[in-house]
Amino acid sequence: MTAKHLVWDWNGTLLDDLHLVVSSTNEAFATVGGRVVEADEHRRAFRRPVAEFYAEMLGRAVDEEEFGRLDRIFHDAYRLGLTDIALAADAMTALKTWPGTQSLLSMWFHSELVPAVDTYGLAGVFARIDGLRTEVGGDLKAGHLARHLAGLGVAGTDVVLIGDSLDDAAAADSVGAGSVLYTGGFTDPVRLRESGRPVADSLVDAVKMAMSL
């Protein structure tokens, strides 16, 4: 039976912001003498908690205080570049393809996410929108997804999540939901396919896969 509700990831999935994320990461790394990370390497290595990814790329431990500082620098750079970022090419078509209810769950800050969604012409599309309500990001998504579904009053077994990371899939697993992973985001497609999860090269195909779960 097709799931009743679809949860969308925002950054790297509906929003085509990979290169902005990479450039913002490099701006943060430059402040601590870190090397430049190219987009392909970023996709091969990126993971949550983001502090672990930073530690690998910098070649040393990153404590909580330093990660908080780097996270703020990252987001300052990200905000400056966001005006030039578009939705994924088939995002609007994909959103219109799903027959049930939809919501949006992002690891971006809630106070910035909600107005941004409206600027992309998506007002009224989602039954609920949740971003982070903390000052520092970078953690795992599982608890955030559980709170999101509780706010919706939707059981995990009635849900499919479409995202672009292995953490998205792990979060879906944690609440008993299905997941489809999209290759156009922050994670190398080889890593996604090696996970054994359903993987789609377009958002429209991701929705069609979600409809079959």
Side-chain angles (χ1 to χ4, degrees), residues 32-152:
V32 293
R35 63 181 178 84
V36 172
V37 177
E38 301 295 338
D40 286 346
E41 183 181 13
H42 190 288
R43 296 183 86 202
R44 288 193 297 269
F46 180 76
R47 63 186 182 277
R48 292 183 176 275
V50 177
E52 294 182 3
F53 166 64
Y54 279 12
E56 180 182 343
M57 295 297 96
L58 293 172
R60 58 173 176 78
V62 175
D63 63 23
E64 184 176 345
E65 180 181 356
E66 183 178 28
F67 176 73
R69 185 167 64 253
L70 291 172
D71 191 62
R72 286 188 290 274
I73 295 167
F74 168 90
H75 281 99
D76 286 345
Y78 183 88
R79 290 181 191 100
L80 287 175
L82 191 59
T83 54
D84 297 325
I85 301 302
L87 293 176
D90 63 342
M92 295 298 288
T93 302
L95 288 163
K96 294 174 182 177
T97 300
W98 180 255
T101 55
Q102 304 177 76
S103 60
L104 183 65
L105 181 67
S106 175
M107 304 301 281
W108 192 28
F109 300 118
H110 186 79
S111 61
E112 298 178 70
L113 173 67
V114 172
V117 168
D118 287 348
T119 67
Y120 285 97
L122 299 177
V125 171
F126 303 110
R128 184 180 179 95
I129 298 172
D130 280 315
L132 292 182
R133 291 172 170 83
T134 59
E135 293 184 1
V136 178
D139 208 353
L140 300 175
K141 198 169 195 171
H144 194 33
L145 177 59
R147 292 186 292 273
H148 180 71
L149 297 185
L152 282 164

